[in-house]
Amino acid sequence: MTFIFLSVAGGSDFARDRITLAIRRLDFAIDANWQVERLIEEEVGPVMHPAMTDRFAAGDYVALAAKTRPDGWQKWSTAHPDAPKPRSTRSLDHHFLMVEAAASGLGVAMCPKIIAIDDIRKGRLTAPFSFHPDGSHYGVIRSALARRTAGIDQFVSWLLATIQEDFHAAS
């Protein structure tokens, strides 16, 4: 019997944590012994509670940023110079906190689509500028501990197919 240990957290110490597969944003050095399959390109954009759209358009909003990607607003603003500028910026520890703050009407979050898409579908958030690629990717990493097995191959195939069907259909 093969056990798969899957991690979606940050970091890359697969041996210490006995991780077989990891889903990671591919923005760190990849060990030559790992097998990497790209899943999806990162897309980002401002998201907010639907009642905030007029305030956003007028530049009367607080920009919510994640400490995990402190330059997110700067990069997006450079790529969208005509977009309304915030009156201030607040940093939260992680994207998930930032999304909850935005859904509560506390500001506008610069958010990855992959994190916001369910809340957009439910009507908790809106993305008036949509989402645009930022040049990074997510991928599945098979560590040196992962032997090629039918179960792992099937899981990775299912994951890729699900992303193609579900995530891209929401675009």
Side-chain angles (χ1 to χ4, degrees), residues 27-169:
D27 60 353
F28 61 94
I30 304 295
D31 188 294
N33 294 318
W34 299 341
Q35 299 172 15
V36 178
E37 295 180 58
R38 284 189 176 189
L39 288 174
I40 192 165
E41 186 173 25
E42 176 86 290
E43 296 177 38
V44 298
V47 299
M48 66 205 72
H49 187 279
M52 292 277 301
T53 55
D54 289 343
R55 290 179 56 195
F56 175 74
D60 182 25
Y61 68 95
V62 173
L64 302 172
K67 290 181 181 176
T68 53
R69 297 193 200 137
D71 59 350
W73 272 103
Q74 179 187 1
K75 286 182 177 180
W76 188 85
S77 294
T78 299
H80 300 86
D82 296 332
K85 306 296 183 247
R87 66 175 193 261
S88 64
T89 302
R90 288 213 176 105
S91 293
L92 293 121
D93 285 336
H94 199 275
H95 280 92
F96 297 105
L97 298 172
M98 186 181 60
V99 168
E100 285 305 311
S104 297
L106 299 176
V108 178
M110 184 53 58
C111 190
K113 179 180 177 182
I114 201 163
I115 293 174
I117 195 65
D118 286 339
D119 288 320
I120 290 170
R121 288 176 177 161
K122 293 174 186 172
R124 290 183 71 213
L125 292 172
T126 187
F129 275 79
S130 191
F131 296 92
H132 302 278
D134 75 352
S136 62
H137 292 82
Y138 286 94
V140 173
I141 302 171
R142 297 177 197 226
S143 72
L145 300 173
R147 293 177 298 205
R148 292 215 55 113
T149 65
I152 291 174
D153 290 343
Q154 289 172 350
F155 173 75
V156 172
S157 293
W158 168 82
L159 189 58
L160 287 165
T162 300
I163 287 172
Q164 290 304 314
E165 290 174 21
D166 190 47
F167 188 74
H168 290 298

